[in-house]
Amino acid sequence: TDLSRIRNFSIIAHIDHGKSTLADRLIQRTGGLTEREMSSQVLDNMDIEKERGITIKAQTVRLDYKASDGKDYVLNLMDTPGHVDFAYEVSRSLAACEGALLVVDAAQGVEAQTLANVYQSVEHDHEIVPVINKIDLPAAEPEKVRKEIEDIIGLPADDAVMTSAKSGIGIDEVLEAIVTRIPPPKGDRDAPLKAMLVDSWYDPYLGVVILIRVIDGVIRKGQQVKFMAGGTTHLVDRVGAFRPKIEQLPELAAGEIGFITAQIKDITETRVGDTITDTRRPAAQALPGFKLVQPVVFCGLFPVDANDFEKLRESISKLRLNDASFSFEMETSAALGFGFRCGFLGLLHLEIIQERLTREYDLDLITTAPSVVYNIHLSHSKEEPAKVIQLHNPADMPDPNRIESIEEPWIEATIYVPDDYLGPILKLCQDRRGIQKNLTYVAGRAQLTYELPLNEVVFDFYDRLKSISRGYASFDYHQIGHREGDLVKMNILVNNEPVDALSMIVHRAAAESRGRHMCERLKDLIPRHLFKIPIQAAIGGKVIARETIAALRKDVTAKCYGGDITRKKKLLEKQKEGKKRMREYGSVSIPQEAFIAALRMG
Ligand code: GDP
Ligand code: MG
C-alpha cells in the first residue's frame, strides 16, 4: 500500500467515556462486522478485561475505508493496555502509531486518565484529534467540554468531532478526521527490513502470533528474519492482518501494522520492543527504546489442596505460554508444601494471573506476601567468601549475623492530580517513605515527582492513590536502581507458629505499625476456634505487636438457630465449603483470603 493511504492511530480516553463503543462503530461502519457480531465488544476479549474495564493486551484491527476524496485508505486501529503495570507495552503500542483519537464524554468532561493518556500520546509526537462523545445524553454539554479540552489540556478543539458512538452519530466525521488530520506513516520500502515487535501471544493453532509495525522494508512469507535483541532467527510462515477476523496478506511493508507467525512455540523468544530484520540484508541498527521487561514483584502460589499441585503446574505453564513477562519456578515451603515462586510486572498483573488460575482453571490458591528483589550483601564466613545475593523470597533470608547491608529497589514516580487532592496525596507519599523531588502546577493540576521505595508501592499504593483522589490522580513510574535501607524481616506467628507465607521484609521504622496492622487484620480474617489464638508480629525473637482471637463458645449453631434443622444444616454445609478454602497451620485454620488481604494497608 502507498504510504499516503495508511493511517495508524490509537484511541485514548478516560474509562467509560466510550472508547470501546467508538472502536466497534468504526469497525462496523467500515464493513468489518455485522450488527449481530457487534453485539459483544470486539476489542476487549478476556472476561477479566471486561470486568475491570481495562485492556490487558494490545489489540489491533485493520479497517478499509473509502474517504470522501474518493480514495481508498487503510486505517490501523491499535488498542493499548490500560494499567501502569503494563507501561512498557503501552509505550510500544503508542510508538507504532502517528496519531490518536482523544475521546471525552460530553457530560463528564476531561478526567484524570484523559490527561494522563494525552501526556503519553504527546510524548510519542502524536497528532491528537479530540472527539466529544455521548452528545445524545440530556446532560451533554459539548461546548463546555470543548473549552475544557482547550483550557485544561491545551489542545485546540475548534474542530473537535461531535459523536454519539452509541447511536452512530458523527462516525463518518471521525473517519474523515483520521484521514485528513492524522499524518501518514513515514518509512522506506526499499531499505533493509526493520519491524517493531509490538505484542505477541500464543494461539493453539498458529503458535506464537506476533503483532508488528513495519518501519522500513517489506516482510513476506518465506522470508528468514532475525530478532535483533533476542538473537534468534525464524522463517516467516504467515503474514496478515486482523479485520478483525484474521486475514493473510502477501506482505506487510513500511508503515503497515499486522501480524506474522514463524513457527515459534515459546513466547519468551518474542520480546516486546525487539526489532525484526532480514537475515540476508539486515538493518545496521535496531530501533531505539528496546527494554527487557522483567518481573519486579514476586510471590508464592500454593494450592490449598496439596493434590492440586500437578494441576497448578499445568495451568501455570499454559498461562505462561501467553505471557512472557510472568515467570515461575518450583518452591517448597515448610507450611504450604509444594508450590511455585512467581514473578510479575506489578500487583495488578499478579491479581490477573491469580484470578485466571482460580476462574479458568478452577484452582483454590494461597498467595504469599508479595516481595520485591533485594540485594543482600553478605560478609565472608568460614565456608564462603563475601558476596551479594538477590533475594525475592523473605523465607530465604540468610543468617542476620552475616548480613552487612540490604539494598532495596527505588522508583521515580510522576503523579498528576487536581489541587483539591494534593494534601492527602502528599501524606500518602510521605507515609511510604517518599522523597519529594518536584512539585509544579499546570491549570489547576499539580504535577508531583517523588522517589519511593518500590516495596512501599507494590502492595496497594496505586489503589490508595486512586481512592483518595476519587480516580483523578494518574501515576507513572520507572525504576532508578537499588539503595541501601534499614530493612528487617518480620515474622508473623499464629498460635506461636511462624507462618512463613506471611513473613515480609520491611523498613525498621515502619515495622511496628505494619506489624500491628497485620495482626489486627488477621484477627478479623481468621475465624474463631475452640481455643484462644495469639497472633504476633516479631523481628528476630522480639515481639513488636500482638492480638488475640478469643475462643469460640461451643455449639454456636444451636444457639443461633434453635431448632431449625434445615437452616442449621445449611450453615454446616457452608462451613464445610469454607473449610476447603482454609489452610491448616498446626491446629489453626487460616482462610485463603487472609494471605493477601492482610497485606493491604487499608
Ligand atoms: P470505554 O471504557 O471507554 O471503553 O467505554 P465503553 O465504550 O465501554 O462505554 C461505556 C458506557 O458508555 C457503555 O455503557 C456504553 O454503552 C456507553 N456509551 C458509549 N458511547 C455512548 C454514547 O455516545 N452515548 C451514550 N448515551 N452512551 C454511550
Ligand atoms: Mg473499553
Side-chain angles (χ1 to χ4, degrees), residues 15-21 41 133-134 136-137 164-166:
I15 188 154
D16 280 345
H17 283 199
K19 171 169 127 168
S20 304
T21 312
Q41 286 187 342
N133 187 38
K134 306 201 189 182
D136 60 296
L137 288 177
S164 165
K166 194 172 168 187

Side-chain angles (χ1 to χ4, degrees), residues 66 94 136 250 456 466 573 583:
K66 191 187 237 358
L94 294 177
D136 60 296
E456 301 284 344
K466 286 284 174 194
E573 263 164 31
R583 191 76 197 196

